[in-house]
């Protein structure tokens, strides 16, 4: 991909194009995403403002988000009549989510 086209590869491998150059480079950027299988980003004043991702990446992200939302739902305090097993299960899921978030955020 030529630098004179306005598209550059960032250190993390994401193809970037400024909003100013986006119109002239949109087709090339989409091809980079489609055939390269990696995300690309639009930038404004040097900061990423939007991403273009391959369909499989997006579909996996939506699925992962649904799983995480369901796990968070399961961590809600068990209601009246809940067993100690329900409370332990809820606490275990909550602790696992917290631990995973700490690992990812590091």
């Amino acid at each position: 991909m030529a630098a004179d086209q306005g598209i550059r590869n960032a250190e993390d491998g994401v193809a970037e194009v400024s909003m100013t150059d986006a119109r002239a480079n949109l087709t090339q950027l989409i091809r980079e995403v489609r055939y390269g299988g990696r995300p690309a980003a639009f930038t404004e004043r040097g900061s990423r403002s939007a991403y273009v991702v391959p369909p499989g990446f997006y579909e996996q992200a939506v699925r992962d988000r649904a799983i995480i939302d369901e796990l968070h739902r399961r961590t809600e305090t068990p209601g009246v009549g809940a067993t100690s097993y329900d409370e332990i299960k809820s606490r275990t899921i909550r602790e696992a989510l917290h631990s995973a978030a700490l690992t990812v955020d590091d």
Side-chain angles (χ1 to χ4, degrees):
M1 156 176 33
D4 61 332
Q5 291 181 322
I7 301 173
R8 71 171 200 87
N9 277 321
E11 289 182 20
D12 61 359
V14 175
E16 294 182 335
V17 65
S18 71
M19 292 298 286
T20 305
D21 297 329
R23 182 182 303 238
N25 294 287
L26 186 58
T27 300
Q28 181 61 29
L29 189 72
I30 290 172
R31 285 185 181 136
E32 290 287 328
V33 171
R34 181 178 183 188
Y35 299 115
R38 294 185 317 225
F42 295 109
T43 61
E44 289 184 280
R45 297 182 187 96
S47 295
R48 293 178 181 171
S49 57
Y51 288 88
V52 179
V53 296
F57 181 96
Y58 175 79
E59 290 160 3
Q60 184 65 49
V62 169
R63 182 178 185 281
D64 291 348
R65 182 74 246 174
I67 290 169
I68 291 168
D69 288 345
E70 177 60 20
L71 288 171
H72 277 289
R73 189 190 65 73
R74 291 181 184 202
T75 67
E76 295 170 1
T77 305
V80 176
T83 66
S84 61
Y85 173 75
D86 292 331
E87 292 173 7
I88 292 169
K89 183 172 64 172
S90 177
R91 185 175 63 244
T92 302
I93 293 170
R94 191 170 37 254
E95 289 170 358
L97 286 167
H98 179 71
S99 177
L102 290 175
T103 301
V104 169
D105 291 342
D106 280 343

